Amino acid sequence: MTKEFPASFNKWIDKVKTTFPENEKLHRMFEKCFTNTYTTTLQQTEDGLPFVITGDIPAMWLRDSTSQIRPYLIVAEEDEEMARLIENLVKLQTKCILHDPYANAFNKSANGAGFQKDKTAMTSLVWERKYEIDSLCYPIQLAYLLWKSTNHIGHFTEEFRQALHQIIHVFQIEQQHNELSTYRFERENVRQSDTLNNDGKGTEVSYTGMSWSGFRPSDDACLYGYLVPSNMFLVVVMDYIQEIGAKFYPEDTALIEKSLQLRNEVATGIDNFAKEAHPYYGDVYAYEVDGTGRKLFMDDANVPSLLAAPYLGFCQTEDDTYQATRKLILSRENPYFVEGTLLKGIGSPHTPDHYVWPIALSIQGLTAKTTDEKLAILEMLIAGDGGTDYMHEGVNASNPAEFTRDWFAWSNAMFSEFVLSLCDVYVKGSPLSK
């Protein structure tokens, strides 16, 4: 069941129409995609907080809920009700993290839905307990950008401060996963990418300074435990914590000191273990490493990704290593780069072969340096809707009528953010807005 979107959305719908006056399909697609999270995925918990389902799955992912609501920060600059809604989402995400910082997705109430048979420390409030670094980074990003966009600070509560300490603690434990972590995850009778090997511990790793992640933002298992794009995101949000701590929790010097130390250790780990000289492209980043010398050179469509490093704020778009990495992952050197008769871009092992992800195309557009590349990507996204006016998870690069997930609000939100960037509209405080 859908509901009406606020009148404040019309300013941005009209902005797209005036920027692209002749493109009626884009007008229609943007309006539907931009409003999709608000009109179809917003629910409410028993205590009145906004619960954001991912679309066709009735659970709230910490990652997806942040990404789905992020374009509405632009609306919230002038719409106080929207700002309060986002503030309350941060409060719910904070409660979820304090309940279980290793969980990636939650139920609206303690109803026992989801993957309760998984061999891990499930509770009735947890839908899924795949540990992913990015699940703990995204709520910090949303809290920070809400402050920068609207000057709202009601989400910087004592609970939020406790959650920041909990997040740092988990990241520190997972820097020494083999020795210190008690996290285990196994799912029986599924493909290998849905479970962890080694009795639920995952592939063995050696210390690097980076923090271990069991799963990628696709919810697929990591091949090697140090997921480089997620560690890049970790570095960025530790900077956010230092700024938040200095402003709102100045007496908590431990918070500032621990976040700075962790940030520097992870950044050094990325420099020392995640870079390699490619014979053709020069110095590039690996996607995953294990600290023993094994490296995986690829990129996945889900964010955080290597392609998204400037979008996340880890580096500038012009950075030499990023540009070299970008050339590699947007080529056939990346096993998940797809070229079809209509679309070309990054896909994922999470979806069938020859499927491009609109999320990755939107990120490519947001981080492209030339207008020509941006407009070419826009044309592909418009052509890749499968006749639905919406974005999807993966799309057959030669036949967009074949796609996964009819209702995938994260993809709709990423498309919206990319289209707004073409109108020179960005979330205030976000890296690409500078």
Side-chain angles (χ1 to χ4, degrees), residues 227-236 266 270 285 305-306 309 314:
L227 179 55
V228 176
S230 290
N231 274 275
M232 291 174 170
F233 198 10
L234 189 162
V235 168
V236 173
V266 172
I270 293 171
Y285 290 111
S305 60
L306 294 174
F314 178 75

Side-chain angles (χ1 to χ4, degrees), residues 197-212:
N197 60 13
N198 192 23
D199 296 322
K201 302 175 188 175
T203 306
E204 291 286 331
V205 292
S206 294
Y207 179 82
T208 63
M210 286 184 281
S211 194
W212 178 90

Side-chain angles (χ1 to χ4, degrees), residues 37-104:
T37 288
Y38 189 90
T39 60
T40 68
T41 71
L42 282 180
Q43 300 180 3
Q44 200 171 72
T45 63
E46 293 176 354
D47 52 359
L49 296 176
F51 185 83
V52 185
I53 64 171
T54 186
D56 52 14
I57 304 172
M60 187 178 87
W61 267 254
L62 294 174
R63 167 187 58 253
D64 294 46
S65 60
T66 295
S67 298
Q68 287 167 236
I69 216 78
R70 176 173 156 140
Y72 297 161
L73 288 165
I74 294 165
V75 178
E77 293 172 22
E78 301 173 4
D79 184 333
E80 183 66 19
E81 186 175 341
M82 180 59 66
R84 286 198 301 272
L85 185 151
I86 299 172
E87 181 179 295
N88 284 331
L89 174 59
V90 174
K91 290 178 179 178
L92 179 59
Q93 291 175 331
T94 300
K95 291 178 183 297
C96 290
I97 291 167
L98 290 174
H99 178 79
D100 185 354
Y102 281 94
N104 58 328

Side-chain angles (χ1 to χ4, degrees), residues 125-145:
L125 189 64
V126 170
W127 170 276
E128 187 173 60
R129 197 170 186 262
K130 288 180 172 179
Y131 173 63
E132 303 157 353
I133 287 174
D134 67 279
S135 294
L136 297 177
C137 294
Y138 271 108
I140 299 171
Q141 180 200 65
L142 184 60
Y144 179 84
L145 292 178

